[in-house]
Amino acid sequence: MKFETKAIHIGEEPNLSQGGTGDVVIPIHLSTTFARKDVEQPTGRYEYSRTGNPTRRALEKRLAALENAQFGLAFASGMAAEATLILSILKSGDHIVAFDDLYGGTKRLFNKVFRKFGIEVTYVDARDPENVARAVNQHTKLFWMETPTNPLMKLCDIKEISEIGKEKNIITVIDNTFMSPYFQKPLDLGADIVIHSTTKYLGGHSDVVGGAIMLSNQKLFESLLFNQNSIGAVPSPFDCYLVLRGIKTLAVRMQRHAYNAQKIAEYLEHHPKVKKVYYPGLPSHPQHDLAKKQMSGFGGMLSFEIDGTLTDAKIFLKRLKIFAVAESLGGVESLIELPALMSHTSIPAKEREKLGISDTLIRVSVGLEDVEDLIDDLENALAG
Ligand code: P1T
């Protein structure tokens, strides 16, 4: 089955057997517990809804199919997926090598939560895989990468980094939130684990918070499954339904997100009040060739530098009428934000500066509105 077909059907096949209802949309199974005939074992597949739930199961099957994975697990948020993953795989004294440009909340989780439990992280510029290899020590257990990164749209070579990981017995985790499985499949490129904030493109409508992990390694899956139940950061059946529903249109949405983002990136690149545009679909992006190699499209996220001060950036944001000034991304509506004051405030100012997250860096999640309306909105706001 091709991607679009899997995105609509896997996990939601109508039950046409004797007694089956033939629903084409899976019911939202609200029951928290499942009765059994025999006290010693569950009668059906399910016993308690934290452990397993039919609506969640449908979502998990679909999530796995999208990333060409054997297994999928759904969580209550992207952060819940990340925390469960770390708790499942690492122990005190272990070490992570991570991309230096990550979602601020991921860095906060590493630096402020897991460091307290003796898990160390070295951040490197993973655009050069050599930097990743050099940071490995005898305790390194994980490589943690986003590509493209949030918010600077830096890429890392998934294949090369995964190969380094395999050589050294280190697990490679790729946060694939920005590309979605429609444009990039890290497991096919050699990564061990893919993680998503399903709050973003998979949900697609800014109405559900969720997370996911996809992988094919049975042993790691069993450990994650055990901890999904033990820690219990699971999504509600209604949340699972919303993500299942969102995924059905993922392919068409991603195509339009990318089309609109390319047009906007090209427009901004020629604007005299814009210093720099970061979008992997632009030939001026320093890793455009890598983008073409490992992605099948360039996605709906971009960022740019306004030529001016923080005040100019704030005035620009205030003048916008269609773009909502809001954190998050990946929904049908266009969102815009200032990472230094919003999504990345948990990174200290000095570190932000070093990474290139300046006070005038603007991040855009390009939505599905008419692109001419979006460009007009930007034009008016930049003219102010
Ligand atoms: O928000 P949550 O579903 O818990 O997902 C966390 C997360 C993980 N990974 C990436 C790449 C992300 O972008 C996020 C969440 N990001 C935002 C809320 C944001 O505005 O960037």
Side-chain angles (χ1 to χ4, degrees), residues 61-217:
K61 270 168 90 174
R62 183 167 305 163
L63 289 169
L66 296 183
E67 290 282 7
N68 295 335
Q70 294 289 318
F71 311 107
L73 299 112
F75 293 89
S77 67
M79 296 317 303
E82 294 186 14
T84 306
L85 196 160
I86 304 278
L87 289 165
S88 302
I89 295 179
L90 301 189
K91 59 179 187 330
S92 177
D94 286 343
H95 174 246
I96 303 172
V97 178
F99 212 144
D100 57 10
D101 186 33
L102 295 178
Y103 167 56
T106 301
K107 280 195 164 173
R108 179 175 56 203
L109 178 74
F110 290 170
N111 298 344
K112 299 270 168 69
V113 179
F114 284 116
R115 265 208 176 121
K116 279 200 308 206
F117 295 92
I119 291 169
E120 286 303 322
V121 186
T122 303
Y123 295 100
V124 297
D125 184 345
R127 285 177 294 185
D128 181 355
E130 279 299 310
N131 291 338
V132 177
R134 267 195 294 271
V136 170
N137 66 37
Q138 69 202 79
H139 304 293
T140 310
K141 292 278 161 54
L142 277 190
F143 289 156
W144 191 288
M145 304 289 146
E146 280 176 21
T147 180
T149 59
N150 181 358
L152 286 167
M153 310 301 295
K154 295 177 187 169
L155 310 188
C156 66
D157 190 320
I158 298 173
K159 196 157 172 266
E160 280 201 30
I161 290 174
S162 304
E163 269 164 23
I164 298 168
K166 285 206 168 66
E167 253 169 49
K168 299 179 189 284
N169 221 2
I170 295 165
I171 295 165
T172 301
V173 179
I174 304 288
D175 183 330
N176 202 25
T177 299
F178 266 34
M179 277 301 106
S180 91
Y182 183 68
F183 281 140
Q184 179 169 272
K185 294 192 184 59
L187 299 181
D188 290 356
L189 296 167
D192 300 292
I193 299 180
V194 169
I195 194 153
H196 281 275
S197 166
T198 58
T199 317
K200 312 299 187 300
Y201 289 106
L202 292 166
H205 296 74
S206 307
D207 55 7
V208 57
V209 171
I213 297 175
M214 294 83 139
L215 74 168
S216 291
N217 180 311

